[in-house]
Amino acid sequence: MTIAVFYNTYDVAEVTPEWYDKLKRHALDAKKKRARLCLHHSADDVLHEMIIVFHRDAVIRPHRHSGKTESYHMIFGELDIVLFDDDGQPMRIINMGDFASGKTLVYRLSRPIWHSVIIRSEYAAIHEVTNGPFRVEESEFAPWSPEEDKELRVFLDNSVEALLRPSRGRVSYRA
C-alpha cells in the first residue's frame, strides 16, 4: 500500500504534470483509491488547498461538513456529485468534467448538505479548497448510508437512477 497524502513544504507550490502521474500511481495502489497533494503545509492551516486524484474504483461515503465550505475545480476526467436530503434521498446531481466536456467546471458547497462523489472516468482530478483546520473526528458520515464499499456503490448507483426516473421512489442499497 502506498502513501496517498503528500504535503507541500515550500513557500511557493507548483504542480507539474509529473505530480499528476505520481498521484495517479498512488491512487491506483491506495486502499481508498485516491491520492492528494496538500498545497497547504499542515492539517492545522486555516485554508486547505488540495489536488486530489481519484481512480474510478474510489467509493466516497455520503458526508457533510458543519461550519465549512468546499469547492472543486475540475482539472481532468469526469465525476458526479450527488446531494442528499437528511433522510438519504437524492436531491440533485452535479455532472462535472474538464473544459472540453462542456460539463460543470467549478462547484461550491456553502452549507452542510450531505454529498458524495462518483468517479465517471478512469481517473479524475480536482483542485479542492476548504477551510481548516482538518480534524478526523469532525467528519460526519451519513448514518443512513452503507459503510461497506460494495453496498455503498449499489446505493449510490440507485440514487443516481432514482434522480433520472420520472417517478422518484425511495432509494435502497440492496440489489
Side-chain angles (χ1 to χ4, degrees), residues 102-115:
K103 296 182 177 186
T104 298
L105 299 169
V106 176
Y107 132 97
R108 183 175 192 266
L109 186 63
S110 57
R111 286 191 311 120
I113 297 173
W114 298 109
H115 60 284

Side-chain angles (χ1 to χ4, degrees), residues 36-99:
R36 74 183 62 220
L37 168 60
C38 297
L39 301 177
H40 52 283
H41 292 214
S42 80
D44 294 324
D45 284 6
V46 295
L47 179 65
H48 287 212
E49 289 188 79
M50 298 156 280
I51 303 298
I52 305 173
V53 172
F54 301 96
H55 181 267
R56 82 168 67 235
D57 292 338
V59 183
I60 291 91
R61 188 170 176 206
H63 60 285
R64 65 183 176 186
H65 316 282
S66 294
K68 294 186 183 260
T69 60
E70 127 183 319
S71 63
Y72 292 179
H73 182 184
M74 284 302 300
I75 298 168
F76 63 79
E78 294 185 1
L79 57 80
D80 292 338
I81 304 211
V82 184
L83 305 177
F84 297 91
D85 68 17
D86 287 339
D87 295 322
Q89 295 307 302
M91 301 184 307
R92 181 175 172 188
I93 299 173
I94 300 169
N95 306 114
M96 297 189 73
D98 61 23
F99 191 83

